[in-house]
């Protein structure tokens, strides 16, 4: 056998039950962003056990393990570790009953509702297989476990804590996400894959007065209402019909009673876009509209526009995506497909950007294929297939984990196995 991926993955059967046990353990013990202490320790111990040079505590709970195996390319493979404040309702025997105290001091349920436990278990499985068959490849394999993806600040925290000095510089960065499509499926996509997401909090200022005396007031409720309507014209009137983008005002708060004109209104909105130019254009338009409406309303003070969270767009580089797609087609056959454009967001791309290197990020399916086919047949996919972040999100353990381990290994060996 000359194909290094098949040679390395011949060891999968021997570690399959370990990977499944680890997955169930992680699923039962989810941890919120920047509190992934137990998960990070599991990853660090597993890497150390098979000979990786491990650095812990990067940007909080981040971990890297480096396996240097002679001259050759450096490949970094990233998995995110954090869970979500969701109360699990899957009914699985290994369901989470965990809770955590959040920043406000209130108790929150915690669940791996986004499948980051699949990512961690898959990367540990892949890292073990790579260590076991060092004879089949050359170069350096870097396993990276990132905290706090859901908050959009984990990649940035690792970079801020010196990741680029603590890790060898990779030639490429690879990552994957489990999605609600049939398990066994792997989907690559060159170019735009995930949206950028920006959330803003806008405070507009008026002058409060009695509800019967509008002449004494500058009414921030009217100001906010005009802004909300005008923001709808960004996607519909300022962008081309072929440019996908979303501007959603998800929250608006002003006032305390029917006969009091308040002195301020607070609007919170979320923007999704797929490239930096569109993103900048939308941000400029929001600022222009908000300032102009405040001026048009005689606001006594300028508005405050604060970014409350921010995810970059995930735009896969062409060359590594082509290389991975070819390796997947060779290994997975018809199960290797082209993934659809997603409206979700990720902070993963900040890592390759910090090193100034290309990356590719792909999807793996997580839903039992028969169950999925049945829902397609009935036309009930949207109702019957729980998506990421749902309290019912429950990836089928197999073939999801085998696919997760295999995809990472096949992709890494597309560089290291030559
Ligand atoms: Zn998520
Ligand atoms: Zn996720």
């Amino acid at each position: 056998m000359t194909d290094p991926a098949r040679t390395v993955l011949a060891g999968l059967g021997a570690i399959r039950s370990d990977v499944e046990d680890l997955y169930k353990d992680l699923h039962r013990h989810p941890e919120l962003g920047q509190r992934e202490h137990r998960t990070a320790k599991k990853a660090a111990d597993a890497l150390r056990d098979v000979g990786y040079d491990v650095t812990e505590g990067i940007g909080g709970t981040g971990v890297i393990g480096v396996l240097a195996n002679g001259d050759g390319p450096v490949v970094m493979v990233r998995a995110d570790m954090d869970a979500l404040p969701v109360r699990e309702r899957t009914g699985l025997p290994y369901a989470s009953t965990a809770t955590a105290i959040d920043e406000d001091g209130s108790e929150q349920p915690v669940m791996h509702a986004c499948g980051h436990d699949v990512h961690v278990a898959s990367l540990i499985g892949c890292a073990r297989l790579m260590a076991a068959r060092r004879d089949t490849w050359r170069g350096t394999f870097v396993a990276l476990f990132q905290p706090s993806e859901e908050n959009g600040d984990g990649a940035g925290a690792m970079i801020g804590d010196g990741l680029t000095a603590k890790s060898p510089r990779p030639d490429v960065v690879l990552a994957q996400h489990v999605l609600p499509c049939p398990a066994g499926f792997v989907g690559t996509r060159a170019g735009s894959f995930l949206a950028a997401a920006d959330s803003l909090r806008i405070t507009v200022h008026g002058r409060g007065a009695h509800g019967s005396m509008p002449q004494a007031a500058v009414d921030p409720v009217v100001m906010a209402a005009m802004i909300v309507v005008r923001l709808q014209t960004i996607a519909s009137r300022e962008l081309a019909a072929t440019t996908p983008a979303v501007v959603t005002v998800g929250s608006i708060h002003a006032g305390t009673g029917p006969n009091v004109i308040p002195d301020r209104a607070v609007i919170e909105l979320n923007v999704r876009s797929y490239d930096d130019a569109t993103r900048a254009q939308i941000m400029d338009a929001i600022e222009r509209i908000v300032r102009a409406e405040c001026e048009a309303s005689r606001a006594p003070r300028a508005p405050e526009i604060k970014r409350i969270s921010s995810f970059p767009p995930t735009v896969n580089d062409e060359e590594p995506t082509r290389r991975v797609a070819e390796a997947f087609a060779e290994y997975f056959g018809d199960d290797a497909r082209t993934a659809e454009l997603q409206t979700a967001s990720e902070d993963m791309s900040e890592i390759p950007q910090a090193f100034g290197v290309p990356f590719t990020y792909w999807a793996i399916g997580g839903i039992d294929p028969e169950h999925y086919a049945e829902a397609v047949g009935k036309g009930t996919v949207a109702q019957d297939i729980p998506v990421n972040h749902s309290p019912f999100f429950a990836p089928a353990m197999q073939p999801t984990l085998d696919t997760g381990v295999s995809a990472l290994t096949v992709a890494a060996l597309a560089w290291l196995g030559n």
Side-chain angles (χ1 to χ4, degrees):
M1 209 184 276
T2 53
D3 176 356
R6 282 178 211 283
T7 310
V8 173
L9 285 167
L12 180 55
I15 65 160
R16 180 174 291 123
S17 66
D18 285 1
V19 173
E20 290 177 357
D21 288 347
L22 171 66
Y23 170 71
K24 286 187 277 191
D25 177 79
L26 294 169
H27 193 85
R28 235 186 234 122
H29 298 101
E31 297 171 297
L32 293 176
Q34 279 303 2
R35 312 215 195 145
E36 309 92 335
H37 301 286
R38 186 179 182 278
T39 310
K41 184 163 191 319
K42 290 251 166 199
D45 289 348
L47 294 173
R48 232 179 246 120
D49 277 354
V50 291
Y52 283 73
D53 183 7
V54 175
T55 308
E56 293 173 79
I58 306 177
T61 58
V63 175
I64 57 167
V66 178
L67 188 63
N69 188 32
D71 289 340
V74 179
V75 174
M76 176 181 277
V77 182
R78 171 271 201 183
D80 42 8
M81 301 188 285
D82 54 324
L84 286 157
V86 172
R87 189 178 310 283
E88 179 155 0
R89 297 176 66 193
T90 60
L92 289 167
Y94 49 91
S96 163
T97 55
T99 57
I101 304 298
D102 74 6
E103 283 159 13
D104 311 332
S106 62
E107 192 175 78
Q108 297 272 15
V110 188
M111 173 189 174
H112 266 299
C114 201
H116 299 185
D117 45 357
V118 172
H119 309 166
V120 172
S122 297
L123 180 51
I124 290 174
C126 165
R128 286 182 59 184
L129 294 176
M130 293 297 285
R133 291 308 304 264
R134 271 171 260 204
D135 57 311
T136 62
W137 60 274
R138 286 179 74 75
T140 299
F141 181 79
V142 182
L144 180 148
F145 294 87
Q146 183 205 300
S148 201
E149 182 281 327
E150 297 290 356
N151 302 319
D153 58 8
M158 289 188 80
I159 295 158
D161 195 18
L163 174 66
T164 55
K166 290 173 179 170
S167 167
R169 183 172 190 261
D171 292 290
V172 67
V173 179
L174 307 174
Q176 64 186 3
H177 207 298
V178 62
L179 292 180
C181 46
F185 157 103
V186 289
T188 53
R189 186 179 183 89
S192 289
F193 185 26
L194 309 179
D198 296 282
S199 291
L200 304 180
R201 180 178 299 126
I202 297 167
T203 306
V204 297
H205 298 280
R207 190 165 55 240
H210 197 284
S212 68
M213 291 180 260
Q215 75 280 13
V218 173
D219 190 343
V221 174
V222 175
M223 222 184 291
M226 300 303 270
I227 288 169
V228 171
V229 173
R230 187 114 201 165
L231 289 174
Q232 309 307 311
T233 64
I234 298 173
S236 67
R237 301 290 84 188
E238 297 194 33
L239 299 178
T242 48
T243 303
V246 182
V247 179
T248 292
V249 176
S251 146
I252 172 163
H253 289 280
T256 50
N259 67 343
V260 182
I261 297 171
D263 66 355
R264 76 187 62 188
V266 179
I267 300 164
E268 290 185 342
L269 60 87
N270 181 259
V271 175
R272 303 274 161 160
S273 58
Y274 289 92
D275 60 77
D276 289 332
T278 308
R279 185 187 198 188
Q281 190 184 346
I282 294 172
M283 290 300 150
D284 287 351
I286 291 171
E287 179 154 358
R288 189 192 72 236
I289 288 168
V290 170
R291 290 191 186 286
E293 288 292 352
C294 290
E295 237 173 85
S297 303
R298 305 173 290 133
R301 272 170 64 195
E304 284 122 35
I305 303 175
K306 191 173 170 239
R307 201 181 286 243
I308 46 183
S309 77
S310 182
F311 291 82
T314 302
V315 184
N316 281 326
D317 289 290
E318 300 282 340
E319 197 284 328
T321 306
R322 185 190 49 73
R323 196 190 285 216
V324 167
E326 280 173 12
F328 282 178
E330 163 69 24
Y331 188 83
F332 293 102
D334 289 346
D335 286 332
R337 320 245 179 103
T338 299
E340 285 171 24
L341 191 65
Q342 304 287 319
T343 49
S345 305
E346 256 287 350
D347 66 350
M348 175 267 174
S349 65
E350 293 176 10
I351 294 171
Q353 264 155 24
F355 285 104
V357 302
F359 72 93
T360 193
Y361 178 99
W362 62 85
I364 62 170
I367 308 299
D368 176 67
E370 274 178 36
H371 180 48
Y372 194 89
E374 208 177 290
V376 170
K378 289 192 290 185
T380 56
V381 171
Q383 299 92 301
D384 291 353
I385 305 297
V387 299
N388 302 59
H389 294 205
S390 155
F392 296 100
F393 185 69
M397 204 157 51
Q398 294 298 0
T400 305
L401 290 173
D402 275 6
T403 307
V405 174
S406 304
L408 293 176
T409 308
V410 168
L413 288 167
W415 279 264
L416 300 172
N418 293 319

